Amino acid sequence: MPPCVDLYVWVPVCEPQTLNGFIDRFVDVTEPGDERLSAFVRAYIAQDADQADWAVIAELSPNGEPADGFSLYLNAVEHYGAIITITQEGAAVLGLSLDDPDASPEVMRVAEALLNQLRTEFAAPAGCAGTELPPARSRQEWDDDALVQLRVGTLT
């Protein structure tokens, strides 16, 4: 896998229409890359999940508990990848990965433009980007600057 610039926006309130809008716009739903997307949609968008769906979602969390925060890595329509994270606080972190095999400054400029677009589209107060940057599963992880190369906006 070539290096990627990963960019994320923090959406404080995880609402079904926000998640559905991100999936409709950015995720390749015909080949999502993770079969657990269906369970996620039933749980967080349709709000009609059964016990089996929650068990599948629990697999996404490092601790086996969705409340600990989890990420779903998906194929994107136009970008290298799409990431949906539900944080420990119940916020959503929505992300895109941009292929960057040459560490091009142009890719970071595209990332910044996309961050601003995503912030507007999903009413996100803040965004960040970095090479091979994992998504934050908590506010504490969001505030960690160790791998962040670009920040826009602020969280209160």
Side-chain angles (χ1 to χ4, degrees):
M1 178 171 93
C4 289
V5 169
D6 299 303
L7 59 108
Y8 304 100
V9 293
W10 181 281
V11 181
V13 180
C14 181
E15 295 182 351
Q17 65 269 21
T18 301
L19 297 171
N20 193 52
F22 182 80
I23 291 168
D24 283 349
R25 181 137 156 59
F26 296 104
V27 175
D28 181 352
V29 294
T30 60
E31 290 289 331
D34 191 327
E35 69 279 353
R36 296 172 288 198
L37 177 62
S38 297
F40 176 85
V41 167
R42 287 189 293 275
Y44 286 89
I45 296 172
Q47 298 180 336
D48 188 27
D50 60 20
Q51 192 171 5
D53 290 330
W54 288 111
V56 167
I57 291 168
E59 295 172 0
L60 295 168
S61 173
N63 301 326
E65 293 291 331
D68 289 333
F70 65 89
S71 296
L72 188 58
Y73 293 85
L74 303 161
N75 291 332
V77 176
E78 297 177 28
H79 307 288
Y80 189 80
I83 304 111
I84 300 172
T85 300
I86 306 299
T87 71
Q88 293 171 358
E89 297 83 2
V93 174
L94 306 176
L96 296 171
S97 293
L98 307 176
D99 188 24
D100 189 22
D102 302 320
S104 166
E106 179 61 26
V107 173
M108 196 56 79
R109 284 192 288 278
V110 169
E112 184 172 13
L114 272 171
L115 278 175
N116 290 322
Q117 175 187 333
L118 291 172
R119 285 183 62 212
T120 300
E121 191 169 338
F122 297 106
C128 64
T131 301
E132 300 298 325
L133 182 65
R137 291 183 301 111
S138 69
R139 173 64 190 266
Q140 182 179 359
E141 288 181 9
W142 181 268
D143 291 337
D144 183 359
D145 280 333
L147 298 174
V148 174
Q149 295 168 279
L150 171 67
R151 278 203 189 271
V152 293
T154 57
L155 294 182
T156 56

